Amino acid sequence: MFASPITPFDYIAEGYWQDFLAGRAIAGGIAYETELRNCTLDESLASLQRVDTLLSQIRREMIKVGQWDENTLLVDERYRNFMMFLAFYAGRVLAQQWQSTPHWYGQFEIHKRYPELPLITDDFYQHMAVIYRDASDTHKTTSLFFALEPIGLRLFGHIDRPFEAVKGGQVASGLYQAVSSNLPISDDAQVAPAVSSVRAVMPAKPIIQNTSKRTSEDAYLNTAKAASQNEVLKTDSLTDMPVPKAVSKSENDNHPIQPTLSKVTPSVETTKSVDSTKPEGIASVDSTSNETIPLSKSAPTPDMFTQLLIELNEIEVAQTSGHDEYHQSSTVLEQFEQHIAKQTKARAQVVFSESQMAAKKKALSKLQVAANAGNTAAMLRLAMYELLNEGLAADKNASAESGTAWVKQAASKNDSRAQRLLSKMYYQGIGVVQDIDNGKYWLEQAAENGHTEAAKIVMQWQQAQALITTQKQEQHSTKRYQLLLVAVIVIALLIILIV
């Protein structure tokens, strides 16, 4: 236990925790209190994974509603309380792993005890830190944890807003990774990334779709529905990822509008549709020439990959290895994606500096380590960059082969996200020879493994097939009726003539 005296921040931290446990209101209010309770804060390492997922979801919702403004939120007491509460909670979990008592210090006390740290006075993420174990030398910073830093990175980090740890190096990509990296050495080998069933306790974010865009399997479905009408199907525009907008405020108060994390079941939009005999023109690979078709200029990133990135965050798939490497690399790559999403030009035309490209290559290498270890999420993210010809492969042909191989490998491990993506690739002829039967097979596999959108498409396709069968039966019955009517008329005429 610590011999250190109780600090003012210790009182605040304990007060926040006791109020939360008792269901009492925290002074000044706290944003996302309901969602926090849904995370089941049981002081376990697994609960930190649930918190990280919540933070990622909040970030996406803020971007979606145009509220993603760091400076505005930091002056909102509810959001500050939210971030401080999570920091206190993470420090509590970490200290518990050390079987110790956490002690919190403000920036003045930190600067006094650790003058070697380059603290920035007005940096919210550096204004408090926790000592989570008894250090023999109080001037060593090894037991000092700035818990707000990974929270800030998770919510607001992007390519133009890098987060650097006050103790040096890059900020951890989330609270789970930050706490795990500070666990007692003797316990490291025993701590495995626990897979949390967040989707069971957290509201799901709807898959972002554009009502003017349809995938080829949807076109195939529409073709079945409209077989008797000879409909002509055409390709429409691509969809953009959400781009931050101006911050909106409530008419009733001065607080930013808190986005509602509502549970919405992904649905299949009805539109003009796509020519089912042609691949979509989005970085697709011609099966005969193996040349990459240029990206459409109507969106920086192809729709199938923007949806994949959403699914990687929204759909939880158990992973047995490569957890830390995946999250470290995806945190860096997500900053690039946020930057690209703001552009109005194709990805290939977005220019990055040499240092940025070096950081991206390093992240891709770490992603490849996770993929080689069997992490299917890493396989899919790596596949996306290979299929976009932005990966580690030497040329376009190698990129297409590598990307396709990663998707197939992940699909073979029953990752529904991979199976859904592979079905699109077969339907559209991206990286593989276009094959409707294979596309349908992998679509059905994804549906069987719980992919909501795939299941809905399969169900609608089956309904369309049933409708066509019924129409054929009705047409057959109508012909039989017409023949019978003709026979009756002929017999009637013969009777009249005989009589």
Side-chain angles (χ1 to χ4, degrees), residues 204-431:
K205 177 180 180 296
I207 292 178
I208 299 172
Q209 292 181 327
N210 187 331
T211 54
S212 66
K213 181 78 175 88
R214 292 296 299 272
T215 55
S216 293
E217 67 269 22
D218 299 336
Y220 182 51
L221 174 59
N222 280 345
T223 303
K225 287 182 177 179
S228 60
Q229 302 175 16
N230 294 322
E231 289 185 348
V232 178
L233 308 177
K234 297 182 180 180
T235 303
D236 272 311
S237 61
L238 301 173
T239 182
D240 267 331
M241 288 182 69
V243 178
K245 302 175 183 177
V247 176
S248 57
K249 293 188 177 182
S250 170
E251 296 177 358
N252 299 324
D253 55 41
N254 294 323
H255 295 305
I257 299 174
Q258 180 174 321
T260 302
L261 304 179
S262 57
K263 187 171 184 177
V264 181
T265 303
S267 60
V268 181
E269 308 290 347
T270 55
T271 61
K272 293 182 182 179
S273 194
V274 184
D275 186 344
S276 63
T277 63
K278 296 180 181 179
E280 293 181 278
I282 48 174
S284 56
V285 180
D286 190 312
S287 60
T288 56
S289 64
N290 284 329
E291 293 183 358
T292 303
I293 300 175
L295 292 171
S296 168
K297 292 185 178 181
S298 60
T301 302
D303 180 68
M304 68 185 295
F305 294 129
T306 61
Q307 184 164 341
L308 171 64
L309 291 174
I310 292 170
E311 290 182 359
L312 285 172
N313 287 320
E314 291 297 330
I315 301 177
E316 294 290 330
V317 175
Q319 304 294 337
T320 58
S321 57
H323 185 276
D324 289 343
E325 291 84 359
Y326 172 73
H327 281 288
Q328 290 169 14
S329 58
S330 61
T331 297
V332 176
L333 295 172
E334 186 175 326
Q335 295 175 17
F336 282 86
E337 293 306 317
Q338 291 291 345
H339 179 74
I340 292 172
K342 300 176 185 178
Q343 311 303 312
T344 57
K345 52 190 175 184
R347 293 178 65 99
Q349 298 173 353
V350 180
V351 179
F352 295 102
S353 67
E354 290 185 7
S355 61
Q356 289 170 340
M357 291 305 297
K360 183 177 181 180
K361 184 176 180 180
K362 183 178 179 181
L364 287 172
S365 297
K366 188 168 293 187
L367 195 66
Q368 190 173 54
V369 171
N372 286 328
N375 189 297
T376 57
M379 293 177 190
L380 288 172
R381 191 178 280 267
L382 188 61
M384 182 192 83
Y385 286 105
E386 294 293 1
L387 291 170
L388 288 169
N389 196 31
E390 299 175 10
L392 300 172
D395 53 46
K396 293 181 180 179
N397 291 344
S399 292
E401 291 177 3
S402 176
T404 302
W406 282 123
V407 177
K408 288 182 176 179
Q409 185 174 339
S412 68
K413 292 179 176 290
N414 286 329
D415 188 314
S416 64
R417 304 165 301 187
Q419 292 168 338
R420 177 73 176 98
L421 177 61
L422 188 55
S423 72
K424 291 181 182 181
M425 292 169 64
Y426 272 114
Y427 274 118
Q428 301 171 25
I430 296 178

Side-chain angles (χ1 to χ4, degrees), residues 44-60:
S44 67
L45 288 172
S47 68
L48 295 180
Q49 289 183 305
R50 296 192 285 269
V51 168
D52 285 339
T53 302
L54 172 61
L55 289 172
S56 295
Q57 185 174 345
I58 289 172
R59 174 194 178 106
R60 290 190 297 272

